Structure formats: structure tokens, C-alpha cells
Amino acid sequence: MNKVVLIGILIGAILGYIYWEYIGCYWGTYPLSAVCWINCLTGGIMGGFVCSFWVEER
């Protein structure tokens, strides 16, 4: 159960970094895309949330 969510968090953080690197605006007008760690944290939270739907209860 936790493995799936942790993998989702890792993938989400990586995708958050990729978003920051290629799409994010660097001049700081939009805080979500201006700071790397905020994008990674938000991506990790969203990745864990989405992957938690695939966890089967026993």
C-alpha cells in the first residue's frame, strides 16, 4: 500500500522539477512556478494523492 503512494510521490516530485525547469517563469511573479522546491513539493503531494486511488484495501 505505502509503496504505491511513495512511488507516486517520487514521480510527482520529478514531474514538478521538470515543470519548473522547462515551463516555470523565473522572474517570480507566480510563486508556484518560480521556486523549485515548491513545485517539487506540490508535485509530490499531487502524485501521492493520485496514486492513493489505486491502493486496494485488504
Side-chain angles (χ1 to χ4, degrees):
M1 174 176 144
N2 290 335
K3 239 189 264 188
V4 175
V5 175
L6 289 175
I7 291 171
I9 291 171
L10 180 65
I11 291 172
I14 291 169
L15 289 176
Y17 177 78
I18 291 171
Y19 175 81
W20 174 77
E21 183 69 32
Y22 294 108
I23 299 173
C25 58
Y26 298 106
W27 51 87
T29 57
Y30 185 57
L32 182 62
S33 59
V35 183
C36 177
W37 69 270
I38 293 177
N39 279 328
C40 292
L41 181 68
T42 306
I45 290 171
M46 292 302 293
F49 179 71
V50 168
C51 284
S52 70
F53 289 122
W54 283 290
V55 175
E56 294 181 11
E57 295 294 327
R58 294 180 188 214

